[in-house]
Amino acid sequence: MTETLTKPDLDTVAEVAAQLRVDSVRSSTSAGSGHPTSSMSAADVLAVLISRHLRYDWDNPDDARNDHLVFSKGHASPLVYSVFRAVGVVSEDELLNGYRRFGERLEGHPTPVLPWVDVATGSLGQGLPDGVGIALAGKYLDKLPYRVWVLCGDSELAEGSIWEALDKASHYKLSNLVAIIDVNRLGQRGETDLGWDTAAYARRAEAFGARVIRIDGHNLTAIDEALSEAEDDSDERPTVIIAKTVKGKGFSEVEDSPDWHGKPFPEDMAERAIKELGGTRDVRVRGPLPEGEASDGGARGQAGKVDLPQYEVGEKVATRKAYGQALAALGAANPAVVALDAEVSNSTYANEFAQEIPDRFFEMYIAEQQLVAAATGINVRGYTAFASTFAAFLTRAHDFIRMGAVSRADLRLVGSHAGIEIGADGPSQMALEDLAMMRSVHGSTVLYPSDATSTAALVERMAETRGISYLRTTRGAYPVLYGPDEDFSVGGSKTLREGSDVTLVGAGVTLHACLDAAEQLGKDGINARVIDCYSIKPIDEAALRSAADATGGKFVVVEDHHPEGGLGSAVVESLLSGGRTSLEVEHLAVRGMPGSGTGAELMAWAKIDADAIAEAARRLADRA
Amino acid sequence: MTETLTKPDLDTVAEVAAQLRVDSVRSSTSAGSGHPTSSMSAADVLAVLISRHLRYDWDNPDDARNDHLVFSKGHASPLVYSVFRAVGVVSEDELLNGYRRFGERLEGHPTPVLPWVDVATGSLGQGLPDGVGIALAGKYLDKLPYRVWVLCGDSELAEGSIWEALDKASHYKLSNLVAIIDVNRLGQRGETDLGWDTAAYARRAEAFGARVIRIDGHNLTAIDEALSEAEDDSDERPTVIIAKTVKGKGFSEVEDSPDWHGKPFPEDMAERAIKELGGTRDVRVRGPLPEGEASDGGARGQAGKVDLPQYEVGEKVATRKAYGQALAALGAANPAVVALDAEVSNSTYANEFAQEIPDRFFEMYIAEQQLVAAATGINVRGYTAFASTFAAFLTRAHDFIRMGAVSRADLRLVGSHAGIEIGADGPSQMALEDLAMMRSVHGSTVLYPSDATSTAALVERMAETRGISYLRTTRGAYPVLYGPDEDFSVGGSKTLREGSDVTLVGAGVTLHACLDAAEQLGKDGINARVIDCYSIKPIDEAALRSAADATGGKFVVVEDHHPEGGLGSAVVESLLSGGRTSLEVEHLAVRGMPGSGTGAELMAWAKIDADAIAEAARRLADRA
């Protein structure tokens, strides 16, 4: 049995560093893929960090006092897993036989299937923004002294999201955040934009408000001093350590070579590498434990009963406003609820929350990637974060939302100003792709209520929903349809009108148009069924199937969205999922490129208004 | 008739500035919406620019020598259109009766429906990245001395994309690019992140490699000197002019007030504003004309016949490799073809082009937003730009792709490493949402070939395709299916096997699985039809309908993508678009969260391999 050393001296740390390199070589060669050279450049920094600075109880990864370690350069996964072996939580057997293999947890890029991984990385430029979220939680919510250590690659500093992250880190004075940049000069296909110009990186990080420390990333003493300096958080700035390193460091055949990115060494090379690195080792080290009493949570406390806002049937209320009011009510009842917005809170109505509960509201300014990443990081600490902006601008964060699913994060996203209904502002502000985007995210929930009552109820449901959930809200005010006692559930729907000739399916603004169309059709003797399909994913398959039976498979599906991937797709895919089905579907959606106008003018132009729905229903009813 | 003054003195420019303010007030009040105060802060800068510096022939907006003027702060559209009135291309009547009205061209945010607008803006942080693309075209492709002037808001400097843009602008020494930041301190809902801290903006822009000039944005002499200095491009850096301004400048009731963002003045306030600004005016000004001979193009020359690569049926070639080879062939034949990549050209195989034609290849490093924006800007000058990265990482640029459609840009996007087929790298690198994303873009074309021959042919088709087109390529090498004389068209398909029992629809890697499944099924006496659905949007409705007739509406649709919004959606939406249809569909897609493994292991796990397809087909065939 191997002894575990706690806070060893630098000679031992050098042994740890060599072991991390050897294990990075062994694991990637065993798997036949992976990034050994990108791991070797950062091995010295990680050896010092895990041995002498990271305060982490490896046996209790859920301890709230633990520091957080995020590998923003997720492709250095051989290093991640070699670290986990060095601290004694992953075995040599798993490292050599599990890495990148089917059904195993040591995936090609780290994900939270491992208890020591907070967020999935591998799409570059995301780990640091996520780390900002964790640090926000530490400083403002948990109010615990843990640190967030993020290892970044140099290539990923070309991603704008890194600068959004540093901007917010300095704005929020996140002295508990330490970014370590592994400047090994080489990206996937040659030299990076800035190469070894660590002075240029330093100027940029300083200009964005960070305390910058430049070091030789292979000098253990310098690393140790830099990490100690980073632990002094008296000056209220995030720290950026710029470590000049050599890719493939420790194996002379590949050091600083542009030809060895993302390639495991063949067996014979691996043997030579291990030999040059002094052979395999079996060192166990751990850094200091967190101070104070063990804890499983921050300052969250108990949730009380939610006193949702109530609305009178018939009064006109915008669903975006109901969102804000419900969120404020939720926040008042539940100290775990947090809200974020991207400088449009007076449009999304997240300001209703911000005004009531300013200490749990985070202004992310116009930086939608960081908005979603901050929510992801805050969720790491168990908070229930809602993030809002215009629905159109959530497309800016698509990669972060996708990765949020890989991170197994519970994200509640809210997009206002959906569709052409917004009118005069024109197409740049109109979300016409958001339902397709959000439906395609793994395990997502997509909600699109039509009135204030259902919006408020669904906001409460979202707080309980795991995975990525999305609420689409409308700019304009429309009549409240439901009384306060009506129930709404994820996967539900409401059949607002029974009918036998044709089914009209709407959601959001188009539901109101469906109801108007049904009135028109009634006068013509056409009996239209109307479904409020407020839950687009999961969708109420049973209700749709009943409707198909009742109306001979005749449907008009109407959406304020492009024709692809939205409500229409959800309805027909659901109806076809249960075996042979005979359908006659009129799918009304926004097929042209809109300009400006009033919402009503544009809905008439796109043929998604009541007249167009009635006309489509008549076409269906007239056929046999 | 009003005299047009060319390069007037600063006293006249002051009159122009007052007119721009008055017209911004009048247009927004007449429309009942818009952003007068955000227009008024930048009126002095624009007055000097259009009167004395912008080299532009307003009567010939297509003249290749013209400077370019991009309003990255697109919400300042009252100012944009007031400028167009001041230079005499938009009438007072249109300004007062057309702005933000249905069917009119003065949309809420500027779009290229106007001949003097290069790119649509309104999603913040995009105009400057687009401007980088135009400047790249000017310096490296057209080799013409035009300048690109971009007006940015201060709020949008929180977008990471702005820093991606400045990074590339300095990397490529774009001294022909001038960004003017209108630092009016106030965003939509209060003070911006940095307020009036122009020194902080200056440090950041300088650190990112720009020459920075700080001025009082209401001092006409200072503005004039700064613009003159920006015209001296001897030091090979982009110029950033940081103009400290006052929101609502010129109307004391709203100056520097946080309560007047995005709100038109009521009639009585508008009257007071116009009075304070000295009343309406009818000044006409233009800056200098471009120098030299008129020209309608740069250095493009004539396209020759494309000598596409040829492949032998049965040889194994990755479609990503065929993409690179075809692109190089296209580039050799056509001097308008340009390629860009986000530091993964050795994976996407864009390096085949880069090696052959380095002077028309732009490395964008790991900055996917700037990748797409650069292609958009380069397209402004009429070049045929292809932009490639991993398909998963194109989600990073979703908002730019969406806005590309509003810009009426022709963008050719290529995403490699689609789906779980990639194997060991794991979910962060697997594109499983890209088809849904690209299908939902207005007017898009989505192609997903299965073999090298069809890939090469479709790359040539893409070069001729308008709007946003997307090619999805596969990591692994699969057998070539088609001989070199086979034709492939946008909207086409290939029926590779006739059959009467069931239709198998695949694309990309799943087509090979369909072919294998059909072999298996044949041994069981089940006669499967196989369709290569290489054009997913538009889709070959006629071929699908024939298949429905031939196989009794029985379909197995298989895709290496999440179930929502991809091939399955496209097939069923197409089949249901023509009236009553009876279908029995087995939709095989990636429904779980993948880990690592081999491509074959993962395809078996997801049940999208040949065995799963055959099993699904048997279920369909066994039923009546």
PDB file of all heavy atoms in Angstrom, chain B residues 554-582:
ATOM      1  N   LYS B 554     -44.092   2.851 -45.459  1.00  0.00           N
ATOM      2  CA  LYS B 554     -43.224   2.343 -44.382  1.00  0.00           C
ATOM      3  C   LYS B 554     -41.803   2.875 -44.538  1.00  0.00           C
ATOM      4  O   LYS B 554     -41.147   2.638 -45.555  1.00  0.00           O
ATOM      5  CB  LYS B 554     -43.206   0.814 -44.401  1.00  0.00           C
ATOM      6  CG  LYS B 554     -44.566   0.209 -44.060  1.00  0.00           C
ATOM      7  CD  LYS B 554     -44.502  -1.298 -43.967  1.00  0.00           C
ATOM      8  CE  LYS B 554     -45.879  -1.836 -43.560  1.00  0.00           C
ATOM      9  NZ  LYS B 554     -45.858  -3.261 -43.272  1.00  0.00           N
ATOM     10  N   PHE B 555     -41.336   3.558 -43.515  1.00  0.00           N
ATOM     11  CA  PHE B 555     -40.011   4.193 -43.564  1.00  0.00           C
ATOM     12  C   PHE B 555     -39.220   3.902 -42.299  1.00  0.00           C
ATOM     13  O   PHE B 555     -39.759   3.973 -41.200  1.00  0.00           O
ATOM     14  CB  PHE B 555     -40.147   5.722 -43.651  1.00  0.00           C
ATOM     15  CG  PHE B 555     -40.532   6.246 -44.999  1.00  0.00           C
ATOM     16  CD1 PHE B 555     -41.876   6.318 -45.363  1.00  0.00           C
ATOM     17  CD2 PHE B 555     -39.569   6.647 -45.911  1.00  0.00           C
ATOM     18  CE1 PHE B 555     -42.247   6.804 -46.609  1.00  0.00           C
ATOM     19  CE2 PHE B 555     -39.925   7.138 -47.158  1.00  0.00           C
ATOM     20  CZ  PHE B 555     -41.277   7.214 -47.515  1.00  0.00           C
ATOM     21  N   VAL B 556     -37.939   3.614 -42.499  1.00  0.00           N
ATOM     22  CA  VAL B 556     -36.986   3.718 -41.400  1.00  0.00           C
ATOM     23  C   VAL B 556     -36.073   4.899 -41.752  1.00  0.00           C
ATOM     24  O   VAL B 556     -35.425   4.886 -42.807  1.00  0.00           O
ATOM     25  CB  VAL B 556     -36.146   2.440 -41.222  1.00  0.00           C
ATOM     26  CG1 VAL B 556     -35.189   2.603 -40.024  1.00  0.00           C
ATOM     27  CG2 VAL B 556     -37.031   1.221 -41.037  1.00  0.00           C
ATOM     28  N   VAL B 557     -36.068   5.921 -40.905  1.00  0.00           N
ATOM     29  CA  VAL B 557     -35.191   7.082 -41.133  1.00  0.00           C
ATOM     30  C   VAL B 557     -34.135   7.062 -40.039  1.00  0.00           C
ATOM     31  O   VAL B 557     -34.466   6.969 -38.858  1.00  0.00           O
ATOM     32  CB  VAL B 557     -35.981   8.404 -41.091  1.00  0.00           C
ATOM     33  CG1 VAL B 557     -35.084   9.558 -41.523  1.00  0.00           C
ATOM     34  CG2 VAL B 557     -37.224   8.329 -41.963  1.00  0.00           C
ATOM     35  N   VAL B 558     -32.881   7.138 -40.444  1.00  0.00           N
ATOM     36  CA  VAL B 558     -31.769   6.933 -39.516  1.00  0.00           C
ATOM     37  C   VAL B 558     -30.798   8.094 -39.583  1.00  0.00           C
ATOM     38  O   VAL B 558     -30.316   8.437 -40.663  1.00  0.00           O
ATOM     39  CB  VAL B 558     -30.962   5.668 -39.892  1.00  0.00           C
ATOM     40  CG1 VAL B 558     -30.191   5.162 -38.678  1.00  0.00           C
ATOM     41  CG2 VAL B 558     -31.842   4.609 -40.478  1.00  0.00           C
ATOM     42  N   GLU B 559     -30.482   8.661 -38.422  1.00  0.00           N
ATOM     43  CA  GLU B 559     -29.552   9.793 -38.434  1.00  0.00           C
ATOM     44  C   GLU B 559     -28.628   9.776 -37.229  1.00  0.00           C
ATOM     45  O   GLU B 559     -29.017   9.386 -36.132  1.00  0.00           O
ATOM     46  CB  GLU B 559     -30.312  11.119 -38.493  1.00  0.00           C
ATOM     47  CG  GLU B 559     -31.287  11.361 -37.359  1.00  0.00           C
ATOM     48  CD  GLU B 559     -32.143  12.607 -37.582  1.00  0.00           C
ATOM     49  OE1 GLU B 559     -31.585  13.643 -37.968  1.00  0.00           O
ATOM     50  OE2 GLU B 559     -33.381  12.518 -37.369  1.00  0.00           O
ATOM     51  N   ASP B 560     -27.404  10.247 -37.472  1.00  0.00           N
ATOM     52  CA  ASP B 560     -26.409  10.399 -36.407  1.00  0.00           C
ATOM     53  C   ASP B 560     -26.551  11.825 -35.870  1.00  0.00           C
ATOM     54  O   ASP B 560     -25.698  12.702 -36.095  1.00  0.00           O
ATOM     55  CB  ASP B 560     -25.014  10.138 -36.967  1.00  0.00           C
ATOM     56  CG  ASP B 560     -23.971   9.975 -35.859  1.00  0.00           C
ATOM     57  OD1 ASP B 560     -24.337  10.151 -34.680  1.00  0.00           O
ATOM     58  OD2 ASP B 560     -22.809   9.685 -36.192  1.00  0.00           O
ATOM     59  N   HIS B 561     -27.631  12.036 -35.126  1.00  0.00           N
ATOM     60  CA  HIS B 561     -28.068  13.384 -34.696  1.00  0.00           C
ATOM     61  C   HIS B 561     -29.142  13.145 -33.653  1.00  0.00           C
ATOM     62  O   HIS B 561     -29.734  12.071 -33.595  1.00  0.00           O
ATOM     63  CB  HIS B 561     -28.654  14.093 -35.937  1.00  0.00           C
ATOM     64  CG  HIS B 561     -29.033  15.545 -35.743  1.00  0.00           C
ATOM     65  ND1 HIS B 561     -30.259  15.937 -35.266  1.00  0.00           N
ATOM     66  CD2 HIS B 561     -28.358  16.693 -36.030  1.00  0.00           C
ATOM     67  CE1 HIS B 561     -30.314  17.272 -35.259  1.00  0.00           C
ATOM     68  NE2 HIS B 561     -29.174  17.758 -35.702  1.00  0.00           N
ATOM     69  N   HIS B 562     -29.375  14.140 -32.828  1.00  0.00           N
ATOM     70  CA  HIS B 562     -30.503  14.030 -31.910  1.00  0.00           C
ATOM     71  C   HIS B 562     -31.805  13.883 -32.695  1.00  0.00           C
ATOM     72  O   HIS B 562     -31.867  14.232 -33.874  1.00  0.00           O
ATOM     73  CB  HIS B 562     -30.553  15.258 -30.999  1.00  0.00           C
ATOM     74  CG  HIS B 562     -29.483  15.244 -29.931  1.00  0.00           C
ATOM     75  ND1 HIS B 562     -29.017  16.378 -29.313  1.00  0.00           N
ATOM     76  CD2 HIS B 562     -28.793  14.207 -29.369  1.00  0.00           C
ATOM     77  CE1 HIS B 562     -28.092  16.053 -28.411  1.00  0.00           C
ATOM     78  NE2 HIS B 562     -27.929  14.745 -28.438  1.00  0.00           N
ATOM     79  N   PRO B 563     -32.861  13.383 -32.032  1.00  0.00           N
ATOM     80  CA  PRO B 563     -34.100  13.083 -32.786  1.00  0.00           C
ATOM     81  C   PRO B 563     -34.821  14.331 -33.305  1.00  0.00           C
ATOM     82  O   PRO B 563     -35.660  14.199 -34.196  1.00  0.00           O
ATOM     83  CB  PRO B 563     -34.997  12.383 -31.746  1.00  0.00           C
ATOM     84  CG  PRO B 563     -34.133  12.049 -30.586  1.00  0.00           C
ATOM     85  CD  PRO B 563     -32.951  12.963 -30.626  1.00  0.00           C
ATOM     86  N   GLU B 564     -34.505  15.501 -32.757  1.00  0.00           N
ATOM     87  CA  GLU B 564     -35.297  16.681 -33.072  1.00  0.00           C
ATOM     88  C   GLU B 564     -34.668  17.519 -34.182  1.00  0.00           C
ATOM     89  O   GLU B 564     -33.506  17.912 -34.094  1.00  0.00           O
ATOM     90  CB  GLU B 564     -35.443  17.574 -31.829  1.00  0.00           C
ATOM     91  CG  GLU B 564     -36.116  16.906 -30.642  1.00  0.00           C
ATOM     92  CD  GLU B 564     -35.158  16.120 -29.745  1.00  0.00           C
ATOM     93  OE1 GLU B 564     -33.930  16.136 -30.010  1.00  0.00           O
ATOM     94  OE2 GLU B 564     -35.623  15.478 -28.794  1.00  0.00           O
ATOM     95  N   GLY B 565     -35.457  17.814 -35.181  1.00  0.00           N
ATOM     96  CA  GLY B 565     -35.093  18.855 -36.144  1.00  0.00           C
ATOM     97  C   GLY B 565     -34.136  18.459 -37.245  1.00  0.00           C
ATOM     98  O   GLY B 565     -33.746  19.303 -38.056  1.00  0.00           O
ATOM     99  N   GLY B 566     -33.729  17.205 -37.320  1.00  0.00           N
ATOM    100  CA  GLY B 566     -32.752  16.777 -38.313  1.00  0.00           C
ATOM    101  C   GLY B 566     -33.378  16.069 -39.499  1.00  0.00           C
ATOM    102  O   GLY B 566     -34.433  16.476 -40.008  1.00  0.00           O
ATOM    103  N   LEU B 567     -32.736  14.982 -39.932  1.00  0.00           N
ATOM    104  CA  LEU B 567     -33.187  14.242 -41.111  1.00  0.00           C
ATOM    105  C   LEU B 567     -34.600  13.691 -40.921  1.00  0.00           C
ATOM    106  O   LEU B 567     -35.428  13.757 -41.844  1.00  0.00           O
ATOM    107  CB  LEU B 567     -32.202  13.102 -41.394  1.00  0.00           C
ATOM    108  CG  LEU B 567     -32.534  12.180 -42.554  1.00  0.00           C
ATOM    109  CD1 LEU B 567     -32.530  12.943 -43.881  1.00  0.00           C
ATOM    110  CD2 LEU B 567     -31.538  11.012 -42.619  1.00  0.00           C
ATOM    111  N   GLY B 568     -34.871  13.137 -39.757  1.00  0.00           N
ATOM    112  CA  GLY B 568     -36.194  12.553 -39.513  1.00  0.00           C
ATOM    113  C   GLY B 568     -37.292  13.589 -39.651  1.00  0.00           C
ATOM    114  O   GLY B 568     -38.322  13.353 -40.300  1.00  0.00           O
ATOM    115  N   SER B 569     -37.068  14.756 -39.064  1.00  0.00           N
ATOM    116  CA  SER B 569     -38.044  15.838 -39.172  1.00  0.00           C
ATOM    117  C   SER B 569     -38.220  16.236 -40.629  1.00  0.00           C
ATOM    118  O   SER B 569     -39.351  16.430 -41.100  1.00  0.00           O
ATOM    119  CB  SER B 569     -37.576  17.070 -38.394  1.00  0.00           C
ATOM    120  OG  SER B 569     -37.398  16.766 -37.044  1.00  0.00           O
ATOM    121  N   ALA B 570     -37.111  16.365 -41.326  1.00  0.00           N
ATOM    122  CA  ALA B 570     -37.180  16.816 -42.719  1.00  0.00           C
ATOM    123  C   ALA B 570     -37.987  15.826 -43.561  1.00  0.00           C
ATOM    124  O   ALA B 570     -38.802  16.226 -44.395  1.00  0.00           O
ATOM    125  CB  ALA B 570     -35.766  16.964 -43.283  1.00  0.00           C
ATOM    126  N   VAL B 571     -37.767  14.537 -43.342  1.00  0.00           N
ATOM    127  CA  VAL B 571     -38.461  13.521 -44.134  1.00  0.00           C
ATOM    128  C   VAL B 571     -39.962  13.535 -43.848  1.00  0.00           C
ATOM    129  O   VAL B 571     -40.784  13.585 -44.766  1.00  0.00           O
ATOM    130  CB  VAL B 571     -37.865  12.121 -43.869  1.00  0.00           C
ATOM    131  CG1 VAL B 571     -38.748  11.022 -44.455  1.00  0.00           C
ATOM    132  CG2 VAL B 571     -36.448  12.036 -44.431  1.00  0.00           C
ATOM    133  N   VAL B 572     -40.344  13.529 -42.584  1.00  0.00           N
ATOM    134  CA  VAL B 572     -41.781  13.434 -42.301  1.00  0.00           C
ATOM    135  C   VAL B 572     -42.501  14.741 -42.638  1.00  0.00           C
ATOM    136  O   VAL B 572     -43.634  14.716 -43.134  1.00  0.00           O
ATOM    137  CB  VAL B 572     -42.096  12.979 -40.858  1.00  0.00           C
ATOM    138  CG1 VAL B 572     -41.495  11.606 -40.606  1.00  0.00           C
ATOM    139  CG2 VAL B 572     -41.654  13.966 -39.810  1.00  0.00           C
ATOM    140  N   GLU B 573     -41.838  15.871 -42.406  1.00  0.00           N
ATOM    141  CA  GLU B 573     -42.485  17.146 -42.762  1.00  0.00           C
ATOM    142  C   GLU B 573     -42.709  17.222 -44.264  1.00  0.00           C
ATOM    143  O   GLU B 573     -43.748  17.707 -44.730  1.00  0.00           O
ATOM    144  CB  GLU B 573     -41.647  18.329 -42.277  1.00  0.00           C
ATOM    145  CG  GLU B 573     -41.683  18.477 -40.756  1.00  0.00           C
ATOM    146  CD  GLU B 573     -40.578  19.363 -40.200  1.00  0.00           C
ATOM    147  OE1 GLU B 573     -40.051  20.212 -40.931  1.00  0.00           O
ATOM    148  OE2 GLU B 573     -40.231  19.183 -39.015  1.00  0.00           O
ATOM    149  N   SER B 574     -41.749  16.723 -45.011  1.00  0.00           N
ATOM    150  CA  SER B 574     -41.896  16.725 -46.469  1.00  0.00           C
ATOM    151  C   SER B 574     -43.029  15.808 -46.910  1.00  0.00           C
ATOM    152  O   SER B 574     -43.884  16.181 -47.728  1.00  0.00           O
ATOM    153  CB  SER B 574     -40.567  16.287 -47.089  1.00  0.00           C
ATOM    154  OG  SER B 574     -40.733  16.021 -48.450  1.00  0.00           O
ATOM    155  N   LEU B 575     -43.076  14.613 -46.344  1.00  0.00           N
ATOM    156  CA  LEU B 575     -44.112  13.649 -46.742  1.00  0.00           C
ATOM    157  C   LEU B 575     -45.507  14.135 -46.381  1.00  0.00           C
ATOM    158  O   LEU B 575     -46.481  13.829 -47.079  1.00  0.00           O
ATOM    159  CB  LEU B 575     -43.839  12.290 -46.086  1.00  0.00           C
ATOM    160  CG  LEU B 575     -42.706  11.480 -46.732  1.00  0.00           C
ATOM    161  CD1 LEU B 575     -42.277  10.340 -45.832  1.00  0.00           C
ATOM    162  CD2 LEU B 575     -43.137  10.963 -48.107  1.00  0.00           C
ATOM    163  N   LEU B 576     -45.609  14.911 -45.298  1.00  0.00           N
ATOM    164  CA  LEU B 576     -46.929  15.377 -44.848  1.00  0.00           C
ATOM    165  C   LEU B 576     -47.343  16.688 -45.503  1.00  0.00           C
ATOM    166  O   LEU B 576     -48.453  17.160 -45.286  1.00  0.00           O
ATOM    167  CB  LEU B 576     -46.930  15.558 -43.325  1.00  0.00           C
ATOM    168  CG  LEU B 576     -46.908  14.262 -42.510  1.00  0.00           C
ATOM    169  CD1 LEU B 576     -46.720  14.570 -41.035  1.00  0.00           C
ATOM    170  CD2 LEU B 576     -48.180  13.446 -42.715  1.00  0.00           C
ATOM    171  N   SER B 577     -46.456  17.249 -46.313  1.00  0.00           N
ATOM    172  CA  SER B 577     -46.763  18.576 -46.854  1.00  0.00           C
ATOM    173  C   SER B 577     -47.719  18.526 -48.044  1.00  0.00           C
ATOM    174  O   SER B 577     -48.206  19.557 -48.483  1.00  0.00           O
ATOM    175  CB  SER B 577     -45.471  19.287 -47.262  1.00  0.00           C
ATOM    176  OG  SER B 577     -44.892  18.601 -48.347  1.00  0.00           O
ATOM    177  N   GLY B 578     -48.007  17.357 -48.535  1.00  0.00           N
ATOM    178  CA  GLY B 578     -48.804  17.283 -49.766  1.00  0.00           C
ATOM    179  C   GLY B 578     -50.202  16.720 -49.579  1.00  0.00           C
ATOM    180  O   GLY B 578     -50.731  16.091 -50.483  1.00  0.00           O
ATOM    181  N   GLY B 579     -50.810  16.938 -48.424  1.00  0.00           N
ATOM    182  CA  GLY B 579     -52.166  16.411 -48.231  1.00  0.00           C
ATOM    183  C   GLY B 579     -52.154  15.126 -47.432  1.00  0.00           C
ATOM    184  O   GLY B 579     -51.126  14.744 -46.858  1.00  0.00           O
ATOM    185  N   ARG B 580     -53.308  14.452 -47.387  1.00  0.00           N
ATOM    186  CA  ARG B 580     -53.438  13.295 -46.504  1.00  0.00           C
ATOM    187  C   ARG B 580     -52.408  12.224 -46.827  1.00  0.00           C
ATOM    188  O   ARG B 580     -52.228  11.836 -47.978  1.00  0.00           O
ATOM    189  CB  ARG B 580     -54.840  12.698 -46.571  1.00  0.00           C
ATOM    190  CG  ARG B 580     -55.007  11.451 -45.674  1.00  0.00           C
ATOM    191  CD  ARG B 580     -56.450  11.106 -45.408  1.00  0.00           C
ATOM    192  NE  ARG B 580     -57.154  12.119 -44.637  1.00  0.00           N
ATOM    193  CZ  ARG B 580     -57.175  12.166 -43.306  1.00  0.00           C
ATOM    194  NH1 ARG B 580     -56.504  11.281 -42.571  1.00  0.00           N
ATOM    195  NH2 ARG B 580     -57.859  13.104 -42.698  1.00  0.00           N
ATOM    196  N   THR B 581     -51.750  11.767 -45.809  1.00  0.00           N
ATOM    197  CA  THR B 581     -50.697  10.768 -45.979  1.00  0.00           C
ATOM    198  C   THR B 581     -50.775   9.778 -44.827  1.00  0.00           C
ATOM    199  O   THR B 581     -50.959  10.162 -43.684  1.00  0.00           O
ATOM    200  CB  THR B 581     -49.302  11.444 -45.959  1.00  0.00           C
ATOM    201  OG1 THR B 581     -49.317  12.564 -46.848  1.00  0.00           O
ATOM    202  CG2 THR B 581     -48.222  10.473 -46.407  1.00  0.00           C
ATOM    203  N   SER B 582     -50.613   8.527 -45.179  1.00  0.00           N
ATOM    204  CA  SER B 582     -50.588   7.485 -44.159  1.00  0.00           C
ATOM    205  C   SER B 582     -49.176   6.936 -44.063  1.00  0.00           C
ATOM    206  O   SER B 582     -48.618   6.467 -45.055  1.00  0.00           O
ATOM    207  CB  SER B 582     -51.581   6.375 -44.556  1.00  0.00           C
ATOM    208  OG  SER B 582     -51.481   5.309 -43.642  1.00  0.00           O
TER     209      SER B 582
END
